[in-house]
Amino acid sequence: MTGSLLRPWLLVPVLAGSLAAGQIWLSHLRYELSLETQKLNTEKQDVLSESGKLRLELASLTRPERLRKLAQEKLGMKPPGPAQVVHP
């Protein structure tokens, strides 16, 4: 009878060890997720910075004055003459 009374007390250290191992595992997961979050935030900032640079470059390349100059110099285009304009 005394052997059956000791068995529940033997489970206490086993359960405590299991809970401790679970806590360590969860702490490790939190640490890994924190590192991954930092990495992704850094990548996000890099992408946003690059996007801003590309938007600025696009705005510069599509300026009407630049396009007009390229059309005249590279393509030989010129403003339409009075006879070429159709009025509705």
Side-chain angles (χ1 to χ4, degrees):
M1 179 129 185
T2 59
S4 64
L5 290 175
L6 291 178
R7 285 189 184 161
W9 290 105
L10 291 176
L11 289 176
V12 171
V14 172
L15 291 174
S18 297
L19 289 174
Q23 279 295 108
I24 292 170
W25 180 69
L26 287 174
S27 293
H28 178 71
L29 281 179
R30 274 195 305 269
Y31 177 74
E32 285 183 348
L33 288 173
S34 175
L35 289 178
E36 184 69 19
T37 300
Q38 289 176 357
K39 178 183 168 192
L40 290 173
N41 282 334
T42 301
E43 287 180 22
K44 177 184 172 185
Q45 290 304 317
D46 292 345
V47 168
L48 289 173
S49 176
E50 183 68 20
S51 174
K53 289 176 188 176
L54 290 173
R55 287 177 192 271
L56 183 61
E57 184 178 355
L58 177 64
S60 174
L61 291 174
T62 58
R63 283 186 347 262
E65 311 86 49
R66 181 180 177 279
L67 294 176
R68 189 175 298 112
K69 183 178 176 184
L70 284 173
Q72 289 173 350
E73 292 176 1
K74 301 279 184 183
L75 301 175
M77 298 175 82
K78 57 186 176 184
Q84 294 174 313
V85 176
V86 178
H87 296 282

